[in-house]
Amino acid sequence: MNSTGRLDGLTDAFSKNVIAFALGFIINCINAAFVYTYFKNQVFQQDPRYVLYIHLVINDMIMLTLSVTLQIITYTLPVNLASCCIMLIILVTINSPLNLAGMAVERYIAVCRPLHHAQICTAQRAYALIALIWGISFIPSITDVIIILATQPLSAFSRSIICYPSYVHNTQYHKTQNVVVQVLLFSFVFLTLIITYLKVLCTARTVSGSNQASARNARNTILLHGVQVLIYMLTFISPFVKLSLVTAWPHERTKILFTTFLFVNVLPRLLSPLIYGVRDKKFSSHMRRHIRCKCCSSVQKRVNLIGPQRRAKQG
């Protein structure tokens, strides 16, 4: 997020907002196509793998919308601390890595415990896991607000501020909690990914035929989970990257901040449909079918509208 919008000229501010809005809108439209495909097919809604996947996509859509909205608000509207805290509660909620860990465990059970997969991994349990993930993820965000309430007078909540996490959560308590949460969260997620990957890798060497292909696909999927977690971690190393780049090129400060915003907060939200939706033959085939049906129905409607008009003119 560009936290220095007021340092830009009118032309630069307008172009940055247009770019951020356009990219956010395009990525959300792509993600929305996958969400539409999911809800149009009952078979996906009964599969815990796709339930967790579509939650990841919807979560990315929410985070992207909030990120772009705050980016634009920074340039256009004053925001008081109370409104900013409400938006940051959702924006700084970190649940995508936990969702990826859940997806990795589901793939591990499918490959290494195939006889128990249907009993252990159900759609109802996937929804319960999603609720648990959100509950756990909200704890640090709520704690941030409690720290603000304890360290700031109530009058501060009506003060206009630049709504950016590092500006709002700027006490030593926030920094300590942030470090603890990051270490615990990503240690847990990486250990989960590594253990499930090694288990699936060992299973892939012992099975044969279609089971081996399934294990190989699961192994590759878990490996992609790890890559995506690393990309999500850009959010936490971006302050150091921005500091290094701004120190090297101080005159390009606003451009550096906006570029890092795009690469950290906007473009990674396109990864979920590209990594999972496009790779998944079942999901991509259903989506292509819906697109073709939509195109055919729109063409048919045009033909139905044009036909009577032509006949009326000829008559």
Side-chain angles (χ1 to χ4, degrees), residues 54-71:
I54 213 65
H55 169 251
L56 188 66
V57 174
I58 293 174
N59 182 67
D60 282 346
M61 293 176 68
I62 295 172
M63 298 305 170
L64 178 58
T65 302
L66 276 177
S67 297
V68 173
T69 300
L70 283 179
Q71 163 73 17

Side-chain angles (χ1 to χ4, degrees), residues 14 60 131 135 178 216 225 237 251 280:
F14 179 77
D60 282 346
N178 194 33
R216 185 167 56 250
H225 290 339
I237 66 172
H251 299 294
D280 192 288

